[in-house]
Amino acid sequence: EWAAGVTPLAGLPELLAGLRAEHRLAVVSNTHSRTMVPRFLDELGVAGLFDAVVLSVDVGRRKPHPAMYAAALDALAVPPSGAVFVGDSLAADYVGPVAAGIPAFLIDPAGTSGVPADRRLTSVFDLPGRLSAQAVPGAPKTTGTPGE
């Protein structure tokens, strides 16, 4: 099963709660099950922190298909420029969102992806600092958080 190898990160609920205080959050995940990702988020105790959970099984396409990003933007009711996509898969979580006009960060601790340094995160815990550094007065505060 997809979540079998996933280990919850210490401090993740607090990180998400902090992000949620200033941003709208979504999970965008490639999955064959309508219940697996929501159940996993529930088990982690973070399901209530997300405004939307967008699943490929519901959209009928998998990331990096543009329909996945469009569904997430629709669910959050924001334009591409009003969102940020974060994930750890180059094609699905960086190339795809950028092609859809969504600014993205790639979690790439080894720095081997070729993604520009200012768009690369060592850890998801780097995200709040990056968002603060790039904040533009008056800009929407919505953050899309992907899953697999």
Side-chain angles (χ1 to χ4, degrees):
E1 180 163 311
W2 169 86
V6 177
T7 305
L9 298 173
L12 184 62
E14 295 81 6
L15 171 74
L16 292 171
L19 289 168
R20 180 70 180 101
E22 294 191 32
H23 306 279
R24 298 182 64 210
L25 304 177
V27 171
V28 182
S29 183
N30 288 338
T31 181
H32 64 282
S33 169
R34 286 186 170 87
T35 59
M36 184 173 53
V37 172
R39 184 180 70 239
F40 185 68
L41 295 172
D42 229 13
E43 290 170 3
L44 290 175
V46 299
L49 298 174
F50 293 96
D51 297 285
V53 176
V54 177
L55 306 174
S56 59
V57 67
D58 294 325
V59 175
R61 298 290 188 162
R62 294 176 59 83
K63 297 181 295 181
H65 193 280
M68 286 292 287
Y69 313 111
L73 294 171
D74 287 348
L76 295 173
V78 297
S81 63
V84 173
F85 207 93
V86 181
D88 60 3
S89 171
L90 180 62
D93 300 328
Y94 184 81
V95 176
V98 169
I102 303 169
F105 290 101
L106 182 69
I107 301 168
D108 178 21
T112 58
S113 65
V115 169
D118 67 331
R119 307 313 292 172
R120 192 172 59 239
L121 303 174
T122 301
S123 159
V124 70
F125 294 98
D126 296 338
L127 184 60
R130 291 292 183 87
L131 292 175
S132 294
Q134 295 184 355
V136 177
K141 291 187 172 184
T142 301
T143 304
T145 304
E148 160 55 25

